[in-house]
Amino acid sequence: MLKFVGFAFAAAAIGLIGVAGFSAWYLHNLNKDLPDYQQLAEYAPPVTTRVYAGDGSLVAEFARERRLFVPIEAMPDHVKYAFVSAEDKSFYDHAGLDFRGLVRAQISNIGNVLRGRRLEGGSTITQQVAKNFLLTSEQKVERKLREMLIARKMEQTFTKDHILELYLNEIYLGNRSYGVAAAALNYFDKSLDELTIAEASYLAAITKGPSNYHPIDNEARAVERRNWVIGRLAEDGRITPEEAEEAQAQPLGAQIAPPLGARDWTMEYFAEEVRKQIVELYGVEALYDGGLAVRTTVDPHLQKQAGEALRRWLVAYDERHGWRGPISTMPEVPGEWAEPFSELVDDLKNSRKISDDMAPWRAALVLSADAKEARIGFPDGETAIIPLDLMRWAREYISANNLGKEVTSAAAVLKPGDVVYAEKYEAATLPKPEGAAEDAAAKPTPENAYALRQTPAVNGGLIAIDPHTGRVLAMVGGFSFQMSEFNRAVQAQRQPGSAFKPFVYSVALDNGYTPSSTVLDAPFVAPGVDSWYKPGNYIEGRFYGLSTLRLGIEQSRNTMTARLAQDLGIGRIMDYVDRFELSDSLPRELAISLGAAETTVMRITAGYSVFVNGGKSVEPVIIDRIQDRTGKTIYKRDTRECQGCNTDFWSGQSEPQLTDEREQVMDPRTAYQITSILEGVVRRGTAAGAVGRKTDKPLAGKTGTTNDYKDAWFVGFAPDLAAGVYVGFDMPQTLGQGEAGGSVAAPIFADFMVEALKDKAGIPFRVPSGVRLVRVNARTGKPAGAGDTNVILEAFKAEDDPNSSRSLEDDYTLDPLSAAPQAQDNEEDLNGLY
């Protein structure tokens, strides 16, 4: 027996020695092949690039992973301790491994195996850092051993605070959030130092499984888990029992952040332009991983007003031209329609026929329709109605100039299975019938009534600029970015029509003409490229004789503008306009005087800014400053040095003066003369109805419309704000007879400017030195007599003689009745550009 026991003991000892030797050999080999943990000393994770408005509010985020890096010193204690208490309460005491926790986890795993649940690892925070940064998540013994070896080495190399900093900045917390700082913003729209104990505890609660504690789908479980973390904080002595009780009583209050990109539908086109410029400056990697802080020029209030104004009037134009039919149709409407309709809506979103940025419009399925109303349903199963009075606009679209018969039945417009847009009708009453008396009673709005809507086929762009600095304060490139990313404010090259005329008249004012100079408005013929060039006025066949330059712009006279351009010479006009950088390739044709050259909304608005800022060049900019992840400024638009700006003490010195480095591209007196004339366009001219009657604030601008009403423009300004609007089809076609700049684009400009200037003082346009304001007859331009009633103040340069203004009366060209080609079928023969 003793021999047997001795033999067994020897065998066991040899076995233990063998196991120990094998283990040492195995661990030695694992240790040789460990990843380099020293790289964690210089942790520089991919960080979200954030784009800010001029007022500091967040505009957009760009990243592959939504992450913000915050050093451990800047993290509040209750945030750090919430994670320590929830994940590794002995973190500050162990040396990387918690053997007690490891044993406890293995005991729990017995039950997890029986229940088919995921196994627990008993990992410390240090082990989790090792796994997340250097290893995989596979559940193998070898991976676990490697994790433990790395954890021990990390504890010997790094401080506890550095390890915790790595953990809190790397951990995934759901809602596209990597790290606690990103999670704080995405769930609570707060920075870390603003988080309450309850909010920090929720973030610590979701580390085990964000989807299990979703703040909306699993709110009850989320609150329970959060309260457990709060209890652990109190148990560990990190907070008082009173603080714990108060925190546990608070509602969850978490939300789901919007997707990466623009934070608001009105900002989408602007954010995309910013994205393009950052990529051009620094590349894709810097944009998505560099953690740049980009301060832009946009004004959120103006941007919102611009987006809403453009949408409102595009819808108004579209509804004037009738109903083009539903977005799509379901062949049959089943009894349980909500789920298949929701699937259809997802398909339509993927094909860009429906988009989320059209809210408050909602995709709706027509369930039934009769004479009085259509019953509709939404993807969430909710139902509503579209009463007949809220779809009377939906006459059948036949062409831009023709509509179908009046709508007298809802069933004539909609049928079951149609997929349409609907908007909740918020007014207290339905619209009054067309032609009803002002005091006529309107019908009450039916409960849960929606109005029928359709995505406009027409589109447009609006841009607003600070005319003194070129800072772009608002940019809207179309009706819906998700439906079309083409930015019509900066990418659409279209003819501006009469919106180009002020540049021609500027050349005249710099070459001997005054605003009171007269030019003959009569039939005009000149040699063209392929035939005779014969422009016409807005009203075909109507001419007005001798007219002042002011009247030429105020009433948008085409033939007198062409005659004036002929006198000035097309070469002189082209050289002059090149200073404004309106177009990259101006055709050497007389037709450019009426706006036949292509330009963009941004370019022509910048050109108009020169008129109001005293003749200084303007370069539109959308980015003011860019900082890297450390806060170092790596780009700034304004590179001027301010001598004396950083003086520590005031000792009677004068305030610093910044140099004005803008180029003087036109005489400031000429600039004011054009400004004064364009103010007359708004007060008395082609924009008086659409713009002048909407506000008493000083405004100036010019309408523009092209052949066959294909493009509608309005470009104008207040003393400190310039804006341009374009409306047209992406594939050029007529907007319809009479759909000119004054009725299509000018109302958008007016709505935007009224809101933009609502709280601003009515500052008059600034008059430069060297300008005399003289009372003249508005029609003739001659100095006013005692009995004249139609009197205005006209701007003359100091050397001009108001009593002796130049007159251009000669026809210069051939008799149009005898010398023009006899057989022509050219649309230029009709009415030209106006």
Side-chain angles (χ1 to χ4, degrees), residues 373-454:
E373 65 186 30
R375 192 169 70 90
I376 57 174
F378 300 106
D380 60 2
E382 179 188 349
T383 61
I385 63 166
I386 303 178
L388 174 62
D389 285 324
L390 293 181
M391 64 172 81
R392 288 193 185 276
W393 64 268
R395 297 165 64 183
E396 180 188 2
Y397 171 84
I398 297 174
S399 70
N401 296 312
N402 295 286
L403 296 176
K405 59 185 180 181
E406 297 286 342
V407 174
T408 58
S409 168
V413 178
L414 301 175
K415 66 181 186 299
D418 285 349
V419 179
V420 299
Y421 271 121
E423 180 182 17
K424 180 71 172 144
Y425 192 75
E426 301 292 351
T429 57
L430 287 170
K432 297 177 184 179
E434 190 172 342
E438 289 186 10
D439 58 351
K443 306 177 208 175
T445 306
E447 186 179 354
N448 202 21
Y450 279 70
L452 179 65
R453 296 284 182 252
Q454 73 177 350

Side-chain angles (χ1 to χ4, degrees), residues 372-698:
K372 294 184 177 181
E373 65 186 30
R375 192 169 70 90
I376 57 174
F378 300 106
D380 60 2
E382 179 188 349
T383 61
I385 63 166
I386 303 178
L388 174 62
D389 285 324
L390 293 181
M391 64 172 81
R392 288 193 185 276
W393 64 268
R395 297 165 64 183
E396 180 188 2
Y397 171 84
I398 297 174
S399 70
N401 296 312
N402 295 286
L403 296 176
K405 59 185 180 181
E406 297 286 342
V407 174
T408 58
S409 168
V413 178
L414 301 175
K415 66 181 186 299
D418 285 349
V419 179
V420 299
Y421 271 121
E423 180 182 17
K424 180 71 172 144
Y425 192 75
E426 301 292 351
T429 57
L430 287 170
K432 297 177 184 179
E434 190 172 342
E438 289 186 10
D439 58 351
K443 306 177 208 175
T445 306
E447 186 179 354
N448 202 21
Y450 279 70
L452 179 65
R453 296 284 182 252
Q454 73 177 350
T455 306
V458 72
N459 228 308
L462 186 156
I463 199 159
I465 295 176
D466 181 327
H468 309 291
T469 64
R471 299 176 74 247
V472 175
L473 304 175
M475 175 195 292
V476 184
F479 189 83
S480 165
F481 180 81
Q482 293 179 19
M483 299 282 279
S484 169
E485 296 179 13
F486 182 65
N487 190 334
R488 295 152 192 88
V490 297
Q491 292 177 295
Q493 297 274 352
R494 304 298 283 263
Q495 295 179 349
S498 288
F500 186 85
K501 287 177 182 174
F503 301 100
V504 178
Y505 284 75
S506 297
V507 180
L509 293 172
D510 268 344
N511 287 274
Y513 284 87
T514 74
S516 290
S517 296
T518 55
V519 178
L520 182 64
D521 183 30
F524 175 81
V525 179
V529 177
D530 300 319
S531 62
W532 296 103
Y533 177 58
K534 299 194 305 179
N537 284 327
Y538 181 69
I539 300 178
E540 186 178 354
R542 187 168 180 178
F543 306 95
Y544 301 87
L546 280 174
S547 301
T548 64
L549 262 62
R550 173 178 286 277
L551 282 174
I553 296 185
E554 287 186 357
Q555 302 302 325
S556 202
R557 304 278 172 77
N558 285 345
T559 55
M560 68 174 288
T561 303
R563 181 170 280 107
L564 178 64
Q566 179 86 324
D567 178 55
L568 296 169
I570 198 65
R572 182 180 290 171
I573 294 173
M574 292 180 66
D575 291 342
Y576 190 94
V577 172
D578 276 344
R579 306 179 201 171
F580 294 84
E581 300 183 356
L582 295 180
S583 177
D584 293 327
S585 56
L586 283 172
R588 198 175 185 84
E589 302 173 14
L590 197 58
I592 69 167
S593 64
L594 301 183
E598 293 181 341
T599 187
T600 66
V601 182
M602 177 178 276
R603 283 189 166 193
I604 199 168
T605 305
Y608 270 61
S609 297
V610 175
F611 299 142
V612 72
N613 73 15
K616 300 283 190 176
S617 66
V618 170
E619 180 185 355
V621 294
I622 63 174
I623 296 176
D624 277 335
R625 180 185 295 266
I626 301 176
Q627 295 168 281
D628 65 14
R629 66 168 69 208
T630 68
K632 178 184 177 183
T633 296
I634 57 176
Y635 168 87
K636 62 179 180 178
R637 177 188 61 86
D638 192 343
T639 57
R640 294 176 297 172
E641 291 187 8
C642 182
Q643 301 295 333
C645 283
N646 296 322
T647 302
D648 293 330
F649 302 100
W650 182 75
S651 56
Q653 70 269 33
S654 60
E655 63 184 48
Q657 297 294 320
L658 287 172
T659 59
D660 186 353
E661 298 176 353
R662 297 173 298 170
E663 180 185 359
Q664 190 78 42
V665 295
M666 70 184 301
D667 188 328
R669 300 174 300 169
T670 302
Y672 178 74
Q673 287 177 313
I674 290 294
T675 295
S676 176
I677 293 173
L678 294 179
E679 190 175 12
V681 173
V682 171
R683 290 184 175 181
R684 296 174 297 275
T686 56
V691 181
R693 295 174 188 167
K694 297 290 183 68
T695 178
D696 58 356
K697 302 286 177 65

